[in-house]
Amino acid sequence: KAGVTQTPRYLIKTRGQQVTLSCSPISGHRSVSWYQQTPGQGLQFLFEYFSETQRNKGNFPGRFSGRQFSNSRSEMNVSTLELGDSALYLCASSSSPSGTGGNEQYFGPGTRLTVT
Amino acid sequence: DQQVKQNSPSLSVQEGRISILNCDYTNSMFDYFLWYKKYPAEGPTFLISISSIKDKNEDGRFTVFLNKSAKHLSLHIVPSQPGDSAVYFCAASAWGNQFYFGTGTSLTVIP
């Protein structure tokens, strides 16, 4: 079974631009969560989608948005990029919604975003 | 507000000895806990989990202990191997909610 894939793996953008990141979950998984990882901050939760509906949302500004398609693939969009948005963005998939017990999340390799 | 904390950024252990990684949490509603291992340039990989109805879960060389009264969990790796060198994250969730991750502990196992 193929794992979680994320595209692109690396991205360099300029401050003020916008960016879209893509995540394809493991086949059959309907939950996709997005995280931002920065040095010293660990993994900060952005949002989770399950069956095309946003279930949970972390404490990030409205510039960060996402969506999920009927095939469970998910995209994350960041508008008006700031230097502080430079980070590793990870997505994770699971068979059931997060926190519903007994299921772990499977992570993709991440997209390294650099904002200059 | 960091609800899950890993207060040791790094840990070095000799090969063959025990590695103990610690994690503290503040939210008493958390009822499911996980440990992940992360190598550079890869996403985190699930290691082991424990629910709040248990105080210990074992899987091969990995054992997770949960002390609910102290809001503390730990991961024991015995014996430690050089391939265990990675960053370890603990995570916690309350029923139906998001996972909260710690900031990670970088483990180095010295041959």
Side-chain angles (χ1 to χ4, degrees):
Chain A
K1 193 185 257 190
V4 178
T5 58
Q6 292 186 246
T7 56
R9 291 293 310 276
Y10 302 92
L11 206 47
I12 300 175
K13 289 286 188 178
T14 304
R15 193 171 49 182
Q17 289 185 313
Q18 76 163 20
V19 67
T20 299
L21 311 182
S22 180
C23 172
S24 293
I26 291 172
S27 177
H29 285 189
R30 293 159 62 193
S31 169
V32 174
S33 296
W34 288 89
Y35 296 88
Q36 181 195 67
Q37 185 187 6
T38 54
Q41 291 294 316
L43 277 71
Q44 301 290 312
F45 173 76
L46 281 153
F47 29 67
E48 180 200 3
Y49 286 87
F50 183 80
S51 294
E52 302 178 66
T53 301
Q54 188 179 89
R55 284 190 72 244
N56 292 302
K57 189 176 190 305
N59 190 24
F60 277 82
R63 300 185 297 107
F64 292 81
S65 63
R67 59 178 175 168
Q68 187 180 36
F69 302 95
S70 58
N71 62 358
S72 294
R73 189 178 70 86
S74 177
E75 287 182 348
M76 189 192 93
N77 185 274
V78 188
S79 62
T80 320
L81 284 166
E82 300 177 359
L83 296 178
D85 296 334
S86 295
L88 179 68
Y89 290 88
L90 293 158
C91 85
S93 77
S94 62
S95 56
S96 55
S98 65
T100 54
N103 68 306
E104 62 268 16
Q105 295 183 326
Y106 295 84
F107 282 84
T111 294
R112 172 72 63 184
L113 172 64
T114 302
V115 182
T116 63
Chain B
D1 179 28
Q2 196 73 28
Q3 299 194 39
V4 177
K5 298 177 184 177
Q6 295 177 256
N7 293 318
S8 298
S10 62
L11 175 68
S12 290
V13 172
Q14 289 284 347
E15 180 179 3
R17 306 293 285 269
I18 184 172
S19 295
I20 300 176
L21 296 96
N22 294 303
C23 180
D24 296 296
Y25 61 95
T26 57
N27 189 339
S28 59
M29 299 300 291
F30 286 155
D31 58 5
Y32 189 57
F33 306 86
L34 307 92
W35 284 93
Y36 284 85
K37 178 169 72 173
K38 186 180 186 299
Y39 293 118
E42 295 182 12
T45 302
F46 170 75
L47 260 181
I48 191 169
S49 64
I50 188 168
S51 74
S52 59
I53 62 173
K54 293 185 173 183
D55 55 17
K56 176 183 174 181
N57 190 25
E58 202 169 344
D59 184 1
R61 298 186 296 114
F62 302 91
T63 303
V64 57
F65 295 92
L66 175 62
N67 182 333
K68 290 184 288 293
S69 60
K71 296 191 181 68
H72 177 84
L73 70 157
S74 61
L75 174 68
H76 292 208
I77 306 173
V78 184
S80 300
Q81 300 173 353
D84 296 330
S85 296
V87 178
Y88 289 78
F89 292 95
C90 64
S93 75
W95 181 264
N97 289 292
Q98 68 192 67
F99 283 103
Y100 291 86
F101 281 78
T103 52
T105 295
S106 178
L107 172 66
T108 301
V109 179
I110 304 164

